[in-house]
Amino acid sequence: MVISSAQAKVISEERSLYRNILVEEQGDLRCLKFSVKRKTSSQSCINMASPDTLVFDYTKYMMAALVFHPNPKRVLIIGLGGGTLSNTLAQMYPGIVIDNVEIDPAVIKVARKYFDFKESEQVKSYPQDGRIFIKRALRKEQQYDVVILDAFNGEYIPEHLLTKEFLQETQGVLSENGVLVANTFSSSKLYDHETATYHAVFGSFYEIEKGFKRGNRVIVATNNNKSRDVSKAIEQLKGSLRPYGVDINTVLALMELNDDVDEDVRVLTDQYSPANLL
């Protein structure tokens, strides 16, 4: 569901160091949009009449990570948007610790003011680069049960958040049975390279592509890659995700194992980055 800008009412507009930030409303739908290089993309939306319901499919699909870790205690989210994922997890798991990392302080401000992004002693936001935060977390030996990578703005992901070295650092902050879930792209020259890079770090992984009308791919990678009995987790999540408009069985039906390694595709590294390809 996307707001048509021609019919939407702009209720907030500001220029940050990184982009133009718009908040638009059409009926009950309120959306956060980024305008970069004359293109505008929706980052987060809430239904004002049903604020707990997840609007975007990709946010629903990212909940598939919970099947592999149904009771997370600590979560790291890179890329805040309107704070939808953080709010949902905080409601589902009272007492959970969530660190939200967003490079643009203006996005955090807009999420608080227009999207009811909730913070507390357990739920915090950090205005800094996601990779720098993870490097510092490694030094502090901090670990997370779930790491969510959502720094995809519809057109690109910062290249330093795509490399083998970054994924290895991210793997380093995962708990023993931790799960990484990433919102990324399915239609890009980087697709095969990104696949090869995830394989190089995590081995086989799960992905959801078929449920999208355009452009997205959700990747789910587990830390130890061991087989797990997820039947109890699925039963638990059927009820706990229902208030947010998520049917976990529908989500899992779209998820496929990617274990096809193409040795001829080059892995992305800090030295061989997307900038070398595009």
Side-chain angles (χ1 to χ4, degrees):
M1 185 184 299
V2 179
I3 281 183
S4 168
S5 294
Q7 300 174 342
K9 175 185 177 183
V10 177
I11 62 173
S12 174
E13 181 174 3
E14 66 176 280
R15 173 72 180 168
S16 77
L17 290 172
Y18 302 94
R19 54 180 71 91
N20 290 320
I21 301 173
L22 305 174
V23 179
E24 296 182 349
E25 278 189 359
Q26 183 179 337
D28 290 327
L29 203 63
R30 176 180 291 179
C31 288
L32 170 67
K33 294 189 173 185
F34 295 162
S35 179
V36 181
K37 295 181 180 179
R38 298 181 183 178
K39 293 184 179 180
T40 301
S41 58
S42 294
Q43 301 300 305
S44 186
C45 291
I46 58 172
N47 184 330
M48 304 296 289
S50 181
D52 289 345
T53 301
L54 296 175
V55 173
F56 286 132
D57 285 339
Y58 90 86
T59 57
K60 298 177 182 180
Y61 299 161
M62 293 185 96
M63 293 299 164
L66 298 175
V67 168
F68 300 100
H69 206 307
N71 296 294
K73 305 298 183 188
R74 290 175 54 84
V75 173
L76 172 61
I77 301 176
I78 306 295
L80 179 65
T84 301
L85 291 171
S86 178
N87 283 355
T88 299
L89 291 170
Q91 285 183 304
M92 288 179 64
Y93 303 103
I96 193 174
V97 172
I98 304 176
D99 290 335
N100 292 280
V101 182
E102 168 57 54
I103 196 171
D104 192 342
V107 171
I108 299 175
K109 184 177 73 172
V110 168
R112 289 169 179 158
K113 184 173 182 180
Y114 294 101
F115 295 89
D116 196 28
F117 168 48
K118 295 180 174 65
E119 295 165 282
S120 66
E121 286 297 315
Q122 288 76 38
V123 180
K124 298 181 179 180
S125 59
Y126 300 87
Q128 61 183 265
D129 178 84
R131 187 163 182 182
I132 292 174
F133 184 94
I134 286 178
K135 284 179 179 289
R136 290 173 177 169
L138 269 174
R139 288 199 295 267
K140 297 174 185 176
E141 298 184 345
Q142 294 176 333
Q143 291 194 321
Y144 297 90
D145 299 317
V146 178
V147 173
I148 297 173
L149 302 181
D150 192 18
F152 178 39
N153 79 345
E155 296 177 22
Y156 78 101
I157 297 172
E159 64 181 55
H160 66 298
L161 302 184
L162 281 169
T163 66
K164 178 182 178 180
E165 291 87 346
F166 169 68
L167 291 181
Q168 288 172 328
E169 292 161 359
T170 304
Q171 186 182 44
V173 301
L174 286 174
S175 61
E176 182 181 358
N177 294 309
V179 186
L180 167 69
V181 57
N183 176 34
T184 179
F185 28 52
S186 63
S187 55
S188 165
K189 295 178 182 178
L190 293 176
Y191 180 90
D192 290 336
H193 297 276
E194 182 186 47
T195 297
T197 306
Y198 271 86
H199 276 303
V201 177
F202 291 99
S204 58
F205 59 84
Y206 293 93
E207 63 185 3
I208 299 175
E209 287 185 45
K210 291 182 178 178
F212 293 109
K213 294 180 180 178
R214 58 173 189 175
N216 289 68
R217 169 166 71 154
V218 166
I219 291 175
V220 181
T222 58
N223 191 18
N224 55 33
N225 218 358
K226 295 178 182 177
S227 60
R228 309 183 192 187
D229 183 0
V230 299
S231 56
K232 290 183 179 179
I234 293 173
E235 287 303 313
Q236 172 186 326
L237 292 168
K238 281 182 183 178
S240 59
L241 286 173
R242 190 173 296 118
Y244 307 98
V246 181
D247 183 332
I248 191 62
N249 283 330
T250 299
V251 173
L252 294 179
L254 296 170
M255 192 162 70
E256 298 180 339
L257 180 67
N258 188 320
D259 57 0
D260 185 16
V261 181
D262 188 342
E263 302 291 348
D264 295 328
V265 176
R266 193 166 177 179
V267 170
L268 299 173
T269 67
D270 288 344
Q271 287 70 45
Y272 185 76
S273 69
N276 299 116
L277 298 168
L278 300 179

